[in-house]
């Protein structure tokens, strides 16, 4: 189990109803279901990943997230998850507003573009890459990359309450030093947002 | 593939949704593969509007491959080397099960129009007796496309603990007024045939073949997509030497004429009317104050819901609606939108993503609850 799964399992209450936007092969939902007895639904638009979800025994809904987050409003979800997907959406701010309509608690993770390795990569004059952002600029699905500072500024401006947050370094670990200088040292940030 | 075809006589009364009672009934059944020792590999496949018990394999040189032959068989999506697959002709059909062409024991004449109206729920009630017949506790999966998908959904609602999975493909929880309208045009074509005799044509020694043919031609168009018709026929002219009729100009006309004629030879007009009525009236939410979510709270089975992009008869919104209600009701359910170029008929044909998704659904037995 990776550290993201650990964090989310700790945050999610037992027997919650969970929706995971951009659920991939459904492994996070599967871990959550095993550990916390959650009822989970994944939303995914890649046919091969959907096949994997079904093989994993995970309920999955084929849907383009950009097109219809609000369809899942009033469906009784306790928790909505959007892991490493927010930067791929056409309108991230609206997506965050909408996901907070879907569930009272939202787990959002994002790759931190302010990480020092990416900054030094950019200093060399080329689009940087990292384990969190491996794709070349011409192949990436990321449209709206941001730093931790950018994201938290948006949350403050839009009054999205950050209930919990964890900063992970490039090895996927938390550390005292990373917590001191998250915008420079963290490779990924995990948030529990609420209204 | 081990195949058995049998007509099963059920010497027990079946009370229909309409209140009518069939004192006994017969079902024509075909099975593929073998039931395992723990009896947990049984799959029921339900036919769509004009299908019958012959779902897979070629019975003889005269008979066509079964209606789901691309999906059911040894090594296929529903793999008959692993699963025991049961297929039947539904009540009210005309391929061996009790229906309008059966003889009414009280008159010794064919039932004809007197055969009672049957609903999707009645079909499922009748199918339930197959579990007892084969001494199976529950189906591993009930699957079907179109009207067959409605039966799979009804199974999950009516007998929650008698199936583990339901595959509802190119289907709907109720059809639209446009669908009902198309069905009514087809029925009107049959009724207006001078050989219809208010449905009692068999007693008159005739058949309303022209009406049935025209109804089928209309229906056939709705099962295809514009692009599949363009690709297959385009505006190609029919070779005059092979045309079915001198009035025919284009290949597409010839094809519809041929298919319609073939259908009218083998299908019964009263069955046609009865089956379209069953489709029109299907609405499982009606017993739950029109609340589909409340209705779906009965369901314990896992659902697989699939729609095809080129299907304009049962468009993908129908599948999505089932999925949304299933999520609201907390039913474990997946929804996929498949490419499928053949319109509504796409559910009949193998395609990679369709087959892989359905096979993964059937073969995954997770411990999640």
């Amino acid at each position: 189990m990776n550290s993201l799964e650990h964090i989310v399992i700790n945050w999610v209450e037992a027997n919650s109803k969970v929706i995971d936007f951009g659920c991939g092969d459904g492994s996070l939902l599967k871990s959550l279901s095993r550990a916390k007895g959650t009822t989970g639904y994944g939303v995914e638009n890649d046919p091969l990943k959907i096949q994997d979800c079904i093989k994993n025994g995970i309920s999955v809904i084929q849907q383009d997230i950009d097109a219809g987050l609000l369809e899942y409003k009033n469906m009784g979800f306790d928790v909505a998850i959007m892991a490493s997907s927010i930067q791929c959406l056409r309108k991230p701010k609206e997506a965050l507003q909408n996901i907070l309509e879907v569930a009272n608690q939202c787990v959002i993770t994002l790759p931190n573009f302010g990480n020092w390795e990416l900054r030094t990569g950019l200093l060399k004059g080329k689009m940087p890459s990292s384990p969190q952002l491996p794709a070349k600029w011409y192949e990436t699905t990321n449209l709206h990359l941001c730093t931790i500072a950018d994201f938290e500024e948006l949350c403050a401006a839009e009054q999205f309450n950050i209930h919990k947050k964890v900063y992970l370094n490039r090895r996927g670990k938390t550390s005292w030093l990373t917590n001191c200088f998250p915008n420079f040292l963290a490779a990924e940030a995990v948030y529990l947002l609420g209204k | 593939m081990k195949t058995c075809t049998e007509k099963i006589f059920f010497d027990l009364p079946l009370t229909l949704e309409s209140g009518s009672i069939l004192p006994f009934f017969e079902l024509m059944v075909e099975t593929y593969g073998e039931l395992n020792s723990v009896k947990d590999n049984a799959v029921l496949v339900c036919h769509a509007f004009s299908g019958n018990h012959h779902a897979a394999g070629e019975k003889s040189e005269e008979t066509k491959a079964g209606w789901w032959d691309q999906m059911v068989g040894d090594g296929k999506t529903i793999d008959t080397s692993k699963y025991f697959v049961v297929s039947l002709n539904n009540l009210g059909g005309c391929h061996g099960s009790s229906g309008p062409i059966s003889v009414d024991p009280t008159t010794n004449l064919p039932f004809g129009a007197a055969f009672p109206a049957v609903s999707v729920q009645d079909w499922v009630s009748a199918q339930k007796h197959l579990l007892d017949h084969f001494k199976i506790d529950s189906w591993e999966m009930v699957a079907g496309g179109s009207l067959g998908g409605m039966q799979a959904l009804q199974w999950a609602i009516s007998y929650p603990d008698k199936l583990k999975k339901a595959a509802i493909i190119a289907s709907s929880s109720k059809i639209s007024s446009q669908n009902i309208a198309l069905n009514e045009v087809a029925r009107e074509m049959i009724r207006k045939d001078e050989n219809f005799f208010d449905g009692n044509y068999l007693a008159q020694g005739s058949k309303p073949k022209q009406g049935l043919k025209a109804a089928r031609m209309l229906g056939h168009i709705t099962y295809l997509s514009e692009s599949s018709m363009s690709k297959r026929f385009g505006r190609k002219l029919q070779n005059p030497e092979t045309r079915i009729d001198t009035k025919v100009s284009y290949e597409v006309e010839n094809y519809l004429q041929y298919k319609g004629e073939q259908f009218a030879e083998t299908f019964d007009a009263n069955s046609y009317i009865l089956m379209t009525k069953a489709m029109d009236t299907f609405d499982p939410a009606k017993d739950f104050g029109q609340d589909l979510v409340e209705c779906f709270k009965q369901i314990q089975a896992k659902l697989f819901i699939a729609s095809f992009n080129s299907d304009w008869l049962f468009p993908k919104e129908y599948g999505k609606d089932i999925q949304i209600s299933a999520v609201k009701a907390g039913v474990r359910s997946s929804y996929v939108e498949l490419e499928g170029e053949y319109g509504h008929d796409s559910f009949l044909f193998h395609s990679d993503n369709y087959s892989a998704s359905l096979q993964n659904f059937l073969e995954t037995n997770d411990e999640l609850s």
Side-chain angles (χ1 to χ4, degrees):
Chain A
M1 197 181 294
N2 62 36
S3 35
L4 173 65
E5 288 186 13
H6 264 299
I7 295 164
V8 178
I9 284 169
N10 277 329
W11 286 354
V12 170
E13 281 184 38
N15 306 317
S16 312
K17 189 169 167 181
V18 182
I19 187 162
D20 184 356
F21 293 101
C23 66
D25 66 2
S27 50
L28 175 59
L29 285 171
K30 192 168 185 169
S31 301
L32 266 173
S33 169
R34 286 201 172 139
K36 288 290 183 83
T38 52
T39 304
Y41 295 87
V43 178
E44 184 52 69
N45 208 16
D46 177 336
L48 292 176
K49 287 177 183 166
I50 289 167
Q51 286 177 23
D52 288 341
C53 283
I54 295 172
K55 204 171 200 163
N56 268 325
I58 294 301
S59 296
V60 61
I61 306 158
Q62 183 161 7
Q63 164 97 54
D64 175 3
I65 301 172
D66 267 320
L69 270 174
L70 278 179
E71 276 187 46
Y72 302 94
K73 201 177 155 180
N74 301 326
M75 284 199 175
F77 285 108
D78 303 303
V79 182
I81 299 171
M82 194 179 276
S84 303
S85 298
I86 192 82
Q87 77 279 1
C88 304
L89 301 183
R90 256 174 268 142
K91 293 183 172 175
K93 188 177 87 177
E94 286 76 3
L96 286 166
Q97 285 163 344
N98 291 341
I99 199 171
L100 285 162
E101 296 286 327
V102 172
N104 287 331
Q105 293 194 303
C106 300
V107 177
I108 307 286
T109 84
L110 58 121
N112 174 29
F113 206 68
N115 176 271
W116 66 272
E117 274 187 294
L118 296 167
R119 295 193 199 195
T120 50
L122 203 54
L123 271 181
K124 290 179 194 159
K126 295 179 79 175
M127 274 305 281
S129 67
S130 72
Q132 283 75 31
L133 298 168
K136 295 283 185 197
W137 68 271
Y138 49 84
E139 289 169 336
T140 183
T141 52
N142 298 325
L143 301 172
H144 295 99
L145 287 164
C146 69
T147 70
I148 283 173
D150 289 327
F151 184 78
E152 293 181 5
E153 189 180 276
L154 175 69
C155 289
E158 293 296 320
Q159 292 171 323
F160 305 145
N161 291 321
I162 300 176
H163 294 311
K164 291 177 183 173
K165 60 185 171 187
V166 175
Y167 301 122
L168 299 171
N169 62 25
R170 55 198 288 263
R171 292 188 306 281
K173 304 274 187 236
T174 52
S175 76
W176 172 81
L177 200 61
T178 308
N179 284 338
C180 288
F181 306 102
N183 203 37
F184 193 65
L185 294 178
E188 197 173 9
V190 187
Y191 297 95
L192 184 67
L193 298 188
K195 272 194 283 194
Chain B
M1 179 171 69
K2 188 183 169 192
T3 304
C4 298
T5 310
E6 61 174 324
K7 188 185 271 195
I8 305 169
F9 179 79
F10 292 92
D11 193 11
L12 40 87
L14 189 74
T15 306
L16 303 172
E17 225 187 327
S18 64
S20 300
I21 297 172
L22 289 175
F24 59 85
F25 62 99
E26 290 178 305
L27 293 177
M28 194 72 181
V29 174
E30 198 159 282
T31 68
Y32 315 97
E34 290 179 76
L35 193 60
N36 64 15
S37 57
V38 289
K39 299 183 173 182
D40 67 353
N41 69 332
V43 171
L44 176 70
V45 299
C46 303
H47 69 73
F49 165 63
S50 62
N52 56 44
H53 56 284
H54 179 45
E58 288 173 38
K59 286 194 291 194
S60 67
E61 293 202 352
E62 287 82 39
T63 317
K64 290 189 297 183
W67 57 269
W68 225 9
D69 190 56
Q70 292 204 6
M71 301 293 279
V72 179
D74 285 354
K76 295 181 184 174
T77 306
I78 298 174
D79 188 347
T80 48
S81 67
K82 296 178 190 166
Y83 294 93
F84 174 64
V85 178
V86 177
S87 172
L88 77 156
N89 183 212
N90 274 323
L91 222 51
C94 51
H95 293 92
S97 294
S98 299
I101 62 170
S102 307
V103 172
D104 181 347
T106 58
T107 62
N108 273 329
L109 288 169
F111 276 102
F115 195 82
V118 295
S119 66
V120 170
Q121 200 173 317
D122 295 331
W123 286 337
V124 170
S125 307
Q127 291 162 5
K128 167 81 167 27
H129 292 287
L130 292 174
L131 277 179
D132 306 326
H133 175 81
F134 291 110
K135 299 185 173 60
I136 303 167
D137 182 55
S138 65
W139 303 107
E140 183 61 23
M141 176 170 82
V142 177
S146 189
L147 189 53
M150 294 175 173
Q151 293 160 58
L153 180 59
Q154 186 69 56
W155 258 100
I157 296 162
S158 294
Y159 303 108
D161 59 340
K162 293 295 173 192
L163 71 166
K164 295 199 188 75
K165 297 163 190 155
I168 301 149
I169 304 161
S171 194
S172 176
S173 62
K174 62 176 176 213
I175 61 174
S176 68
S177 57
Q178 187 189 37
N179 294 133
I180 296 172
L182 285 163
N183 283 341
E184 179 59 11
V185 174
R187 286 189 290 261
E188 185 67 5
M189 287 168 168
I190 293 170
R191 290 189 206 112
K192 286 283 145 51
D193 186 308
E194 58 179 13
N195 292 319
F196 185 61
F197 297 108
D198 285 334
N200 295 312
Y201 44 87
L202 291 179
Q204 303 280 337
S206 73
K207 278 179 162 186
K209 282 189 192 171
Q210 289 309 314
L212 191 54
K213 176 184 166 185
R216 181 60 171 183
M217 288 168 73
L218 170 70
H220 206 106
I221 299 166
T222 67
Y223 307 148
L224 304 174
S225 68
E226 189 200 20
S227 73
S228 69
M229 288 181 87
S230 294
K231 208 183 268 182
R232 179 158 177 188
F233 308 106
R235 293 179 53 83
K236 277 181 286 196
L237 292 169
Q238 180 64 34
N239 178 349
E241 283 169 21
T242 54
R243 67 185 171 185
I244 198 165
D245 188 301
T246 51
K247 293 188 289 292
V248 159
S249 314
Y250 291 95
E251 259 188 25
V252 65
E253 296 172 61
N254 204 64
Y255 172 82
L256 286 176
Q257 291 277 354
Y258 172 74
K259 284 285 184 186
E261 213 145 273
Q262 225 184 7
F263 182 80
E265 288 297 327
T266 56
F267 212 84
D268 176 64
N270 284 316
S271 280
Y272 196 106
I273 291 171
L274 177 151
M275 296 226 172
T276 53
K277 285 280 185 190
M279 191 190 302
D280 291 358
T281 54
F282 179 66
D283 183 10
K286 70 178 181 298
D287 300 329
F288 297 85
Q290 286 301 331
D291 187 339
L292 198 58
V293 178
E294 275 307 308
C295 171
F296 281 7
K297 285 182 181 166
Q298 316 304 311
I299 298 176
Q300 294 171 25
K302 258 167 65 163
L303 308 184
F304 171 83
I305 304 149
S307 299
F308 293 90
N309 282 330
S310 60
D311 184 351
W312 60 272
L313 189 64
F314 281 40
K316 59 187 181 186
E317 288 72 24
Y318 290 10
K320 194 74 188 288
D321 282 348
I322 299 177
Q323 173 67 24
I324 285 172
S325 295
V327 173
K328 284 184 179 167
V331 175
R332 292 195 296 152
S333 50
S334 290
Y335 167 73
V336 291
E337 283 174 16
L338 300 160
E339 283 306 321
E341 56 183 302
Y342 304 105
H344 186 55
D345 266 354
S346 297
F347 79 87
L348 295 169
F349 307 115
H350 161 88
S351 60
D352 290 342
N353 189 25
Y354 172 32
S355 298
S357 304
L358 182 58
Q359 189 165 12
N360 285 353
F361 176 69
L362 171 58
E363 297 191 359
T364 297
N365 281 308
D366 51 70
E367 301 306 316
L368 300 175
S369 59

